[in-house]
Short mmCIF file of all heavy atoms in Angstrom, two decimals:
data_model
loop_
_atom_site.label_atom_id
_atom_site.label_comp_id
_atom_site.label_asym_id
_atom_site.label_seq_id
_atom_site.Cartn_x
_atom_site.Cartn_y
_atom_site.Cartn_z
N PHE A 177 -51.48 66.95 26.32
CA PHE A 177 -50.69 65.76 26.04
C PHE A 177 -49.77 65.46 27.21
O PHE A 177 -48.97 66.30 27.61
CB PHE A 177 -49.87 65.95 24.76
CG PHE A 177 -50.69 65.86 23.51
CD1 PHE A 177 -51.44 66.95 23.07
CD2 PHE A 177 -50.73 64.69 22.77
CE1 PHE A 177 -52.20 66.87 21.91
CE2 PHE A 177 -51.48 64.59 21.61
CZ PHE A 177 -52.22 65.69 21.18
N TRP A 180 -47.31 59.06 27.39
CA TRP A 180 -47.03 58.53 26.06
C TRP A 180 -47.69 59.35 24.95
O TRP A 180 -47.22 59.37 23.83
CB TRP A 180 -47.40 57.05 25.98
CG TRP A 180 -46.51 56.28 26.90
CD1 TRP A 180 -45.29 55.74 26.61
CD2 TRP A 180 -46.72 56.03 28.29
NE1 TRP A 180 -44.73 55.17 27.73
CE2 TRP A 180 -45.60 55.33 28.79
CE3 TRP A 180 -47.75 56.34 29.18
CZ2 TRP A 180 -45.48 54.93 30.11
CZ3 TRP A 180 -47.63 55.93 30.50
CH2 TRP A 180 -46.51 55.23 30.95
N GLY A 181 -48.74 60.04 25.27
CA GLY A 181 -49.32 60.97 24.30
C GLY A 181 -48.35 62.09 23.99
O GLY A 181 -48.21 62.51 22.83
N LEU A 182 -47.65 62.57 25.00
CA LEU A 182 -46.70 63.67 24.83
C LEU A 182 -45.58 63.31 23.86
O LEU A 182 -45.16 64.15 23.06
CB LEU A 182 -46.11 64.08 26.19
CG LEU A 182 -45.05 65.18 26.14
CD1 LEU A 182 -45.67 66.51 25.75
CD2 LEU A 182 -44.35 65.29 27.47
N THR A 183 -45.12 62.07 23.89
CA THR A 183 -44.02 61.69 22.99
C THR A 183 -44.41 61.80 21.53
O THR A 183 -43.55 61.88 20.66
CB THR A 183 -43.51 60.27 23.30
OG1 THR A 183 -44.55 59.33 23.04
CG2 THR A 183 -43.03 60.14 24.74
N ASN A 184 -45.70 61.83 21.23
CA ASN A 184 -46.17 61.92 19.85
C ASN A 184 -46.35 63.35 19.36
O ASN A 184 -46.68 63.56 18.19
CB ASN A 184 -47.47 61.14 19.68
CG ASN A 184 -47.21 59.66 19.64
OD1 ASN A 184 -46.80 59.14 18.61
ND2 ASN A 184 -47.39 58.98 20.75
N ILE A 185 -46.14 64.35 20.22
CA ILE A 185 -46.17 65.73 19.75
C ILE A 185 -44.77 66.34 19.75
O ILE A 185 -44.62 67.55 19.63
CB ILE A 185 -47.17 66.62 20.54
CG1 ILE A 185 -46.84 66.66 22.02
CG2 ILE A 185 -48.60 66.17 20.26
CD1 ILE A 185 -47.59 67.75 22.79
N THR A 186 -43.77 65.47 19.84
CA THR A 186 -42.41 65.95 19.62
C THR A 186 -42.14 65.90 18.12
O THR A 186 -42.82 65.18 17.38
CB THR A 186 -41.37 65.07 20.36
OG1 THR A 186 -41.43 63.74 19.82
CG2 THR A 186 -41.63 65.05 21.87
N LYS A 187 -41.14 66.64 17.67
CA LYS A 187 -40.78 66.60 16.25
C LYS A 187 -40.40 65.19 15.85
O LYS A 187 -40.80 64.71 14.77
CB LYS A 187 -39.63 67.57 15.99
CG LYS A 187 -40.05 69.02 16.14
CD LYS A 187 -38.86 69.96 16.05
CE LYS A 187 -39.31 71.38 16.34
NZ LYS A 187 -38.18 72.29 16.54
N ALA A 188 -39.66 64.48 16.71
CA ALA A 188 -39.27 63.09 16.42
C ALA A 188 -40.50 62.19 16.38
O ALA A 188 -40.61 61.29 15.54
CB ALA A 188 -38.28 62.58 17.45
N GLY A 189 -41.46 62.41 17.27
CA GLY A 189 -42.68 61.61 17.31
C GLY A 189 -43.52 61.78 16.06
O GLY A 189 -44.08 60.82 15.53
N ILE A 190 -43.61 63.00 15.56
CA ILE A 190 -44.36 63.27 14.33
C ILE A 190 -43.67 62.58 13.15
O ILE A 190 -44.33 62.01 12.28
CB ILE A 190 -44.48 64.78 14.08
CG1 ILE A 190 -45.30 65.46 15.17
CG2 ILE A 190 -45.05 65.08 12.70
CD1 ILE A 190 -46.74 65.06 15.26
N GLN A 191 -42.35 62.59 13.12
CA GLN A 191 -41.60 61.98 12.03
C GLN A 191 -41.78 60.47 11.96
O GLN A 191 -41.73 59.88 10.90
CB GLN A 191 -40.11 62.31 12.14
CG GLN A 191 -39.79 63.76 11.88
CD GLN A 191 -40.16 64.19 10.48
OE1 GLN A 191 -39.94 63.48 9.52
NE2 GLN A 191 -40.74 65.37 10.36
N ARG A 192 -41.98 59.82 13.12
CA ARG A 192 -42.07 58.36 13.12
C ARG A 192 -43.50 57.84 12.95
O ARG A 192 -43.77 56.67 13.12
CB ARG A 192 -41.44 57.78 14.39
CG ARG A 192 -42.26 57.95 15.64
CD ARG A 192 -41.71 57.16 16.81
NE ARG A 192 -42.50 57.44 17.96
CZ ARG A 192 -42.21 58.33 18.90
NH1 ARG A 192 -41.10 59.01 18.83
NH2 ARG A 192 -43.01 58.52 19.91
N GLN A 193 -44.42 58.72 12.59
CA GLN A 193 -45.81 58.31 12.41
C GLN A 193 -45.90 57.28 11.29
O GLN A 193 -45.16 57.36 10.33
CB GLN A 193 -46.68 59.52 12.10
CG GLN A 193 -46.78 60.50 13.23
CD GLN A 193 -47.39 59.92 14.49
OE1 GLN A 193 -48.30 59.11 14.46
NE2 GLN A 193 -46.87 60.33 15.63
N PRO A 194 -46.79 56.32 11.33
CA PRO A 194 -47.80 56.22 12.37
C PRO A 194 -47.24 55.65 13.67
O PRO A 194 -46.28 54.90 13.67
CB PRO A 194 -48.84 55.26 11.77
CG PRO A 194 -48.06 54.40 10.85
CD PRO A 194 -46.95 55.27 10.31
N ALA A 195 -47.89 56.06 14.73
CA ALA A 195 -47.53 55.56 16.06
C ALA A 195 -47.86 54.07 16.15
O ALA A 195 -48.62 53.55 15.33
CB ALA A 195 -48.33 56.34 17.11
N TRP A 220 -53.64 61.64 12.49
CA TRP A 220 -54.25 62.33 13.62
C TRP A 220 -53.69 63.74 13.80
O TRP A 220 -54.43 64.68 14.07
CB TRP A 220 -54.09 61.50 14.91
CG TRP A 220 -52.69 61.50 15.42
CD1 TRP A 220 -51.69 60.63 15.11
CD2 TRP A 220 -52.12 62.45 16.31
NE1 TRP A 220 -50.53 60.98 15.74
CE2 TRP A 220 -50.76 62.09 16.49
CE3 TRP A 220 -52.60 63.57 16.97
CZ2 TRP A 220 -49.90 62.82 17.31
CZ3 TRP A 220 -51.74 64.29 17.78
CH2 TRP A 220 -50.41 63.92 17.95
N HIS A 221 -52.37 63.90 13.67
CA HIS A 221 -51.77 65.21 13.91
C HIS A 221 -52.12 66.19 12.79
O HIS A 221 -52.23 67.40 13.02
CB HIS A 221 -50.25 65.11 14.10
CG HIS A 221 -49.53 64.47 12.97
ND1 HIS A 221 -49.07 65.18 11.89
CD2 HIS A 221 -49.20 63.19 12.74
CE1 HIS A 221 -48.48 64.36 11.05
NE2 HIS A 221 -48.55 63.13 11.55
N GLN A 225 -53.94 69.80 13.28
CA GLN A 225 -53.45 71.02 12.63
C GLN A 225 -54.54 71.69 11.79
O GLN A 225 -54.69 72.91 11.82
CB GLN A 225 -52.22 70.70 11.78
CG GLN A 225 -51.01 70.34 12.63
CD GLN A 225 -49.84 69.80 11.82
OE1 GLN A 225 -49.87 69.78 10.60
NE2 GLN A 225 -48.82 69.36 12.51
N VAL A 235 -53.25 73.32 21.88
CA VAL A 235 -52.52 72.09 22.18
C VAL A 235 -51.49 72.40 23.26
O VAL A 235 -50.64 73.29 23.09
CB VAL A 235 -51.82 71.55 20.91
CG1 VAL A 235 -51.00 70.30 21.24
CG2 VAL A 235 -52.84 71.25 19.82
N ALA A 237 -48.64 70.87 26.14
CA ALA A 237 -47.76 69.79 26.60
C ALA A 237 -47.65 69.88 28.11
O ALA A 237 -47.55 70.97 28.68
CB ALA A 237 -46.38 69.94 25.97
N MET A 242 -42.81 66.50 30.56
CA MET A 242 -41.65 66.94 29.79
C MET A 242 -40.38 66.83 30.63
O MET A 242 -39.36 66.34 30.16
CB MET A 242 -41.84 68.37 29.29
CG MET A 242 -42.80 68.45 28.14
SD MET A 242 -43.00 70.10 27.48
CE MET A 242 -41.36 70.45 26.88
N GLY A 246 -37.35 64.36 29.93
CA GLY A 246 -36.23 65.14 29.42
C GLY A 246 -36.51 65.80 28.08
O GLY A 246 -35.60 66.02 27.28
N ILE A 247 -37.76 66.15 27.84
CA ILE A 247 -38.16 66.80 26.59
C ILE A 247 -38.10 68.31 26.79
O ILE A 247 -38.58 68.83 27.79
CB ILE A 247 -39.58 66.35 26.17
CG1 ILE A 247 -39.59 64.85 25.89
CG2 ILE A 247 -40.07 67.14 24.96
CD1 ILE A 247 -40.98 64.26 25.69
N LYS A 248 -37.52 69.01 25.84
CA LYS A 248 -37.41 70.46 25.90
C LYS A 248 -38.44 71.10 24.97
O LYS A 248 -38.93 70.47 24.04
CB LYS A 248 -36.00 70.87 25.50
CG LYS A 248 -34.93 70.21 26.37
CD LYS A 248 -33.71 71.05 26.46
CE LYS A 248 -32.63 70.49 27.36
NZ LYS A 248 -32.98 69.56 28.36
N ARG A 249 -38.73 72.37 25.21
CA ARG A 249 -39.72 73.09 24.40
C ARG A 249 -39.38 73.02 22.91
O ARG A 249 -40.26 72.84 22.07
CB ARG A 249 -39.81 74.56 24.87
CG ARG A 249 -40.76 75.43 24.03
CD ARG A 249 -42.19 74.94 24.18
NE ARG A 249 -43.16 75.81 23.55
CZ ARG A 249 -43.82 75.51 22.43
NH1 ARG A 249 -43.60 74.39 21.80
NH2 ARG A 249 -44.72 76.33 21.95
N GLU A 250 -38.10 73.15 22.59
CA GLU A 250 -37.69 73.13 21.17
C GLU A 250 -37.85 71.75 20.53
O GLU A 250 -37.80 71.62 19.31
CB GLU A 250 -36.26 73.65 20.99
CG GLU A 250 -35.21 72.87 21.75
CD GLU A 250 -34.90 73.44 23.14
OE1 GLU A 250 -35.70 74.22 23.70
OE2 GLU A 250 -33.85 73.06 23.69
N ASP A 251 -38.07 70.71 21.34
CA ASP A 251 -38.31 69.36 20.82
C ASP A 251 -39.75 69.17 20.33
O ASP A 251 -40.04 68.20 19.64
CB ASP A 251 -38.04 68.30 21.90
CG ASP A 251 -36.60 68.28 22.38
OD1 ASP A 251 -35.69 68.64 21.59
OD2 ASP A 251 -36.38 67.90 23.55
N LEU A 252 -40.64 70.08 20.73
CA LEU A 252 -42.06 69.92 20.42
C LEU A 252 -42.40 70.36 19.00
O LEU A 252 -41.76 71.25 18.44
CB LEU A 252 -42.90 70.73 21.42
CG LEU A 252 -42.77 70.30 22.88
CD1 LEU A 252 -43.55 71.26 23.77
CD2 LEU A 252 -43.22 68.86 23.08
N ALA A 253 -43.44 69.76 18.45
CA ALA A 253 -43.93 70.11 17.12
C ALA A 253 -44.41 71.56 17.12
O ALA A 253 -44.80 72.11 18.16
CB ALA A 253 -45.07 69.17 16.73
N GLU A 254 -44.41 72.15 15.95
CA GLU A 254 -44.78 73.56 15.80
C GLU A 254 -46.22 73.86 16.23
O GLU A 254 -46.52 74.97 16.64
CB GLU A 254 -44.58 74.00 14.35
CG GLU A 254 -43.14 73.90 13.86
CD GLU A 254 -42.19 74.80 14.62
OE1 GLU A 254 -42.58 75.94 14.96
OE2 GLU A 254 -41.05 74.35 14.88
N PHE A 255 -47.11 72.88 16.13
CA PHE A 255 -48.52 73.14 16.44
C PHE A 255 -48.83 73.14 17.94
O PHE A 255 -49.96 73.40 18.34
CB PHE A 255 -49.46 72.18 15.69
CG PHE A 255 -49.30 70.73 16.05
CD1 PHE A 255 -49.99 70.17 17.12
CD2 PHE A 255 -48.48 69.90 15.30
CE1 PHE A 255 -49.86 68.83 17.44
CE2 PHE A 255 -48.35 68.57 15.59
CZ PHE A 255 -49.04 68.02 16.68
N VAL A 256 -47.82 72.88 18.79
CA VAL A 256 -48.02 72.93 20.24
C VAL A 256 -48.04 74.40 20.66
O VAL A 256 -47.13 75.16 20.35
CB VAL A 256 -46.91 72.16 20.98
CG1 VAL A 256 -47.09 72.29 22.48
CG2 VAL A 256 -46.90 70.70 20.55
N ASP A 257 -49.10 74.79 21.37
CA ASP A 257 -49.26 76.19 21.77
C ASP A 257 -48.48 76.58 23.01
O ASP A 257 -47.97 77.69 23.09
CB ASP A 257 -50.76 76.50 21.99
CG ASP A 257 -51.53 76.42 20.70
OD1 ASP A 257 -51.28 77.27 19.82
OD2 ASP A 257 -52.37 75.52 20.56
N VAL A 259 -46.56 75.01 27.01
CA VAL A 259 -46.22 73.99 28.00
C VAL A 259 -46.85 74.46 29.30
O VAL A 259 -46.58 75.58 29.76
CB VAL A 259 -44.68 73.86 28.16
CG1 VAL A 259 -44.34 72.87 29.26
CG2 VAL A 259 -44.05 73.44 26.84
#
Side-chain angles (χ1 to χ4, degrees):
F177 285 81
W180 295 271
L182 178 69
T183 64
N184 284 281
I185 59 167
T186 63
K187 291 173 185 169
I190 295 295
Q191 291 298 318
R192 74 170 177 263
Q193 294 299 323
W220 72 271
H221 57 88
Q225 291 171 6
V235 177
M242 285 182 63
I247 297 171
K248 303 208 177 338
R249 176 65 173 108
E250 59 267 19
D251 297 331
L252 298 175
E254 298 297 322
F255 63 87
V256 177
D257 293 294
V259 176

